[in-house]
Amino acid sequence: MASQLDLLKQFTTVVADTGDFKQLSQFTPQDATTNPSLILKAVQKPDYAPLLADTVAAHRGEALDAIVDQVLVRFGLEILKVVPGRVSTEVDARLSFDTQGTLARARRIIGWYEAAGIHRDRVLIKIASTWEGIQAARELEREGIHCNLTLLFSFCQAQACGDAGVQLISPFVGRIYDWYKKTAGSAWDEAANACLNDPGVKSVTRIHAYYKQQGIRTEVMGASFRNVGQILALAGCDLLTISPELLAQLQAADASSQPVRRQLGGASDIGSAAPVPPLTEAAFRYALNDDAMGTEKLAEGIRSFAVDSAKLDALIEAQR
């Protein structure tokens, strides 16, 4: 009997959002994404302690940031044994406002994957969608290093990523939803803001339509989901990256009683709008500043990933 996950895969490429590669095979995702928080969570599990210890031991004496990246690549290599497609590996969030630093780390990460026999087309370098991060991604794409621009909350971030020709963006559905729900307080009406009316879903729907209408090749991958309803409301999006917990719910749900229907990706959207001029840096910064939700969630996300990166540093430092 078909599950909701089975039907969702007919409309959308399903991506697993986890560093726990031992969970992946049961959901047969095409790709997988990781971030500092997910890797930190994974390395603290007994199953992954040997992997961390072995990687640190193999690179003892190297700079701390190099060992951290070796750990990230090691997880990526294990994930690529399970998924047939791509893995996203994130550059340190503390470099979110450092274009040159981001370029150096991205090139090093790709170099290590290639040294392990992995073609660069199977790796996406994950970078925060700051102006500096987007400019780094622009240069990396010219070099054939494909990027996943993350922590994306505002339409101007998506527009700038499309201008830069990045491979893929990850707009964060759940964190947008969180902001609007918290801001509304007691006035929040959950039923009125569910499914297609969810503010995170509406944001991704707008971006997806803009890219298709403008003929922009950048892939849209909805991310950071809070419930299955948000996922099903984006069926037809290019990709959706989903936590193991929500993948399990989709797999357990009988599609005959809870059908999945395409919501995005109608043929009428393709190339149907007048061209929009590229955003300048000044226009980007002003538009982001004018979007309170985008500004706050981007800053919060960078801070959160930076905290978890520092915790991962400490775990590795203790074993050096």
Side-chain angles (χ1 to χ4, degrees):
M1 190 172 294
S3 69
Q4 286 186 327
L5 182 59
D6 294 327
L7 290 194
L8 180 64
K9 288 178 179 179
Q10 295 180 14
F11 305 121
T12 293
T13 297
V14 171
V15 179
D17 194 22
T18 182
D20 189 345
F21 52 82
K22 295 184 180 181
Q23 287 186 302
L24 291 178
S25 59
Q26 61 185 304
F27 305 117
T28 60
Q30 174 68 20
D31 298 349
T33 59
T34 63
N35 64 42
S37 301
L38 293 175
I39 296 297
L40 176 66
K41 182 179 178 181
V43 298
Q44 295 180 89
K45 294 182 177 182
D47 283 352
Y48 297 105
L51 182 151
L52 178 65
D54 290 348
T55 306
V56 174
H59 299 281
R60 191 169 283 119
E62 296 180 20
L64 178 60
D65 62 272
I67 300 175
V68 170
D69 285 351
Q70 290 282 7
V71 170
L72 302 184
V73 171
R74 178 70 184 277
F75 268 88
L77 292 172
E78 294 298 328
I79 288 169
L80 288 172
K81 293 177 183 177
V82 183
V83 302
R86 304 169 295 189
V87 66
S88 291
T89 297
E90 191 150 349
V91 170
D92 193 325
R94 291 166 291 190
L95 295 171
S96 294
F97 302 100
D98 182 347
T99 298
Q100 293 306 313
T102 296
L103 286 169
R105 293 289 278 273
R107 290 164 178 154
R108 183 169 73 182
I109 287 169
I110 283 292
W112 286 338
Y113 273 112
E114 291 183 326
I118 301 298
H119 193 280
R120 61 178 56 189
D121 285 350
R122 295 196 69 198
V123 180
L124 293 172
I125 298 296
K126 212 169 175 184
I127 300 169
S129 300
T130 57
W131 180 259
E132 293 81 1
I134 295 168
Q135 301 321 301
R138 182 193 299 274
E139 178 59 34
L140 292 168
E141 292 286 353
R142 288 174 180 151
E143 299 173 14
I145 299 172
H146 299 306
C147 300
N148 171 355
L149 273 290
T150 187
L151 293 175
L152 195 148
F153 306 98
S154 182
F155 184 79
C156 66
Q157 293 174 285
Q159 185 178 348
C161 287
D163 294 343
V166 306
Q167 182 69 36
L168 181 147
I169 61 168
S170 295
F172 276 32
V173 177
R175 297 194 195 190
I176 293 174
Y177 161 88
D178 292 344
W179 188 91
Y180 281 101
K181 183 175 182 177
K182 180 180 178 181
T183 302
S186 60
W188 179 259
D189 184 334
E190 187 67 35
N193 290 285
C195 299
L196 297 180
N197 291 324
D198 182 296
V201 170
K202 290 166 73 174
S203 176
V204 176
T205 300
R206 180 189 178 195
I207 292 166
H208 190 271
Y210 170 76
Y211 277 6
K212 303 312 174 188
Q213 290 165 6
Q214 291 293 316
I216 294 170
R217 68 169 185 81
T218 299
E219 301 167 66
V220 180
M221 181 169 70
S224 174
F225 294 105
R226 297 293 178 258
N227 55 64
V228 165
Q230 292 174 334
I231 296 168
L232 298 183
L234 290 171
C237 191
D238 299 328
L239 308 95
L240 298 173
T241 182
I242 306 169
S243 70
E245 293 77 17
L246 291 176
L247 284 171
Q249 289 183 37
L250 289 164
Q251 193 173 66
D254 178 4
S256 63
S257 58
Q258 297 174 291
V260 179
R261 298 183 176 89
R262 178 184 290 278
Q263 303 294 341
L264 277 64
S268 62
D269 284 345
I270 305 301
S272 59
V276 175
L279 277 179
T280 64
E281 179 178 354
F284 171 88
R285 293 193 185 280
Y286 189 85
L288 185 57
N289 180 76
D290 208 35
D291 181 347
M293 179 277 298
T295 296
E296 292 173 23
K297 297 308 288 185
L298 174 59
E300 177 186 270
I302 291 171
R303 287 195 301 267
S304 176
F305 282 168
V307 167
D308 285 342
S309 292
K311 290 178 181 177
L312 182 59
D313 286 354
L315 281 176
I316 292 171
E317 190 69 71
Q319 297 191 32
R320 292 176 71 190

